[in-house]
Amino acid sequence: MSTTDAPADRPAAGRPPAGSAERCPGCRSALAVNERFPTWCPSCEWNLLPPEPAPTNRTPRQQRAAERAERREEAARRDVRERSEQVFNLVSAGGSDLRDGSTTAAFALAGVVHLVSLTVLLLGLGLVTGLLLPGWPGRLLGVIALAVAFQLRPRLGRPSRDGVLDRTAAPALYALVDRISEELGAPKVDSIAVDGEWNASFAVLGLRRHRQLTVGLPLWTALAPQQRVAVLAHEIGRCVNGDRRRSLWNGSALGALVEWYRMTVPSPTRTQRGLIGVLVVLAELVANRVLWVLNRAVHGLTLLMNRLWMRAGQAAEYRADLLAVRLTSVADTRGALTALLHRQTFETVLNRQRTVPPRRTGSGRDATPDLWQSLAEAVRTVPPLETERRLRAAARLAEAVDSTHPPTDLRLRMLTAAEPEQHRHPVVLDSGRAALIEAELAARRERIAVDLL
Ligand SMILES: [Zn+2]
């Protein structure tokens, strides 16, 4: 399939006016036009972010509110960007002490979260047993407090069972991952899950601290073999570089905060008739007001926690990238990081495939080869100019997975800034082993394609 006549990855808004199609309206530089992507100017960044069509039916008041929200977002982005650059400078200068003041503060804050949960639990136990308040009202309150304590319990996460490949089903994939763990001095993973995300992740879950690696098959498909090694090395590398943000103590506190937040979201007030209806509505208004205050407080705590973890988290990400370089090369790690920018292309391919009527074969729908081939082809043919646009757009939007991940452009800069040492025995995924792994993934490929389309 030809890709040049494919629909644009993003509707080509903001084209230069007709007749000047090859000159930038901002600085008059020559522009390269590719039908598949927005035209933009790398010299003055004209149309770096093609304008979104603004909703036309806004009242002046809604318009002003939207503008205020936009300004607030912009300020928040600038703030994140500035702090990210500080961390970058610190890490590239080699002085990223993960045990700084904010890490200690985050540790203490996690302690406060656990203390609140413990207090509610003890209160519940004291009431239920009649120690604090004899009689049935006390016991009733105790039951409620215990129910709340149950909801507030630290969340340790649970390993996913969906899409898990066990060792016997995927020996070549596990062998590769084990080899990477060994080179990095990390313990072996307990399970590998394969899903339909444009991502890869690693988590330590549950009381038994189950180590689960999750590989997004779409991203995996778009990567060259050594880039795959780089992605795996980054994920596994995160647990050998002292990233204590994910430890039992801190991770479970963050998990609890997320649960508190969910519990305190005020529910919309329903209209009711009659005197009782009015009383119910009034009670709900009061309850919602209280919930709102609690919810804002939890929100603030979560932000504070994330902010305290930011430096340690971002420094850990940079270190994981440098570990990936150690097992592969700067070019492979760079390629893997750049691929993360192409989620948009993945979504375009998905949308295009969804509109194509499925070809019927004897066994029914057979969309699998088409989806994966189109995806690899579409990502392979994103021109460097468009990659550059996405990189700069991400930098301008301070786009990162969250503030604990540094922005991609800074991660790419770090690969050269820190002059990482190259490993003498890099982990090589040769074509023979790559093919074995592909065969192990074949069943998941079919399943995920059906789920995605
Ligand atoms: Zn220009």
Side-chain angles (χ1 to χ4, degrees), residues 24-29 31 40-46:
C24 166
C27 70
R28 313 299 302 156
S29 318
L31 292 179
W40 71 292
C41 175
S43 318
C44 71
E45 300 200 338
W46 168 80

Side-chain angles (χ1 to χ4, degrees), residues 19-182:
S20 64
E22 318 238 312
R23 292 265 156 214
C24 166
C27 70
R28 313 299 302 156
S29 318
L31 292 179
V33 178
N34 183 330
E35 288 301 316
R36 219 178 122 197
F37 303 102
T39 301
W40 71 292
C41 175
S43 318
C44 71
E45 300 200 338
W46 168 80
N47 207 35
L48 175 66
L49 301 166
E52 305 277 341
T56 46
N57 49 359
R58 272 184 186 156
T59 63
R61 195 172 153 192
Q62 285 170 330
Q63 182 62 31
R64 280 195 301 277
E67 279 164 15
R68 272 199 305 277
E70 173 61 31
R71 276 198 299 275
R72 263 201 309 275
E73 255 173 57
E74 179 62 36
R77 281 202 289 264
R78 261 203 308 277
D79 179 48
V80 169
R81 179 75 198 181
E82 271 167 28
R83 287 187 294 125
S84 297
E85 283 182 1
Q86 283 168 8
V87 182
F88 176 88
N89 291 331
L90 215 89
V91 176
S92 61
S96 70
D97 188 4
L98 291 176
R99 289 171 185 277
D100 66 347
S102 57
T103 311
T104 313
F107 216 74
L109 190 61
V112 171
V113 169
H114 292 315
L115 200 62
V116 169
S117 307
L118 187 66
T119 307
V120 177
L121 176 68
L122 291 178
L123 189 71
L125 285 176
L127 285 167
V128 162
T129 51
L131 281 174
L132 291 173
L133 186 66
W136 67 265
R139 286 179 205 270
L140 185 66
L141 281 176
V143 170
I144 294 172
L146 283 183
V148 172
F150 179 73
Q151 286 298 317
L152 295 185
R153 72 195 184 277
R155 307 288 164 139
L156 303 177
R158 192 175 290 172
S160 164
R161 283 194 210 150
D162 285 347
V164 169
L165 289 174
D166 56 39
R167 282 188 176 268
T168 49
L173 180 60
Y174 275 92
L176 174 67
V177 171
D178 288 347
R179 170 83 206 286
I180 293 170
S181 304
E182 194 192 330

Side-chain angles (χ1 to χ4, degrees), residues 32 65 70 83 99 157 186 233 260 288 307 347 396 420 425 447:
E70 173 61 31
R83 287 187 294 125
R99 289 171 185 277
W260 296 9
N288 276 345
R307 206 183 166 120
E347 278 157 14
R396 188 183 289 182
H425 307 288
R447 179 76 228 159

Side-chain angles (χ1 to χ4, degrees), residues 18 28 41 46 85 93 101 105 126 129 143 160 201 203 207 276 284 295 302 310 318 337 361 370 378 383 403 408 413:
R28 313 299 302 156
C41 175
W46 168 80
E85 283 182 1
T129 51
V143 170
S160 164
S201 59
L207 253 187
I276 291 186
E284 275 188 2
N295 189 255
T302 315
M310 188 185 137
Y318 287 127
L337 281 178
T361 60
D370 250 19
S403 62
T408 309
R413 241 203 286 160

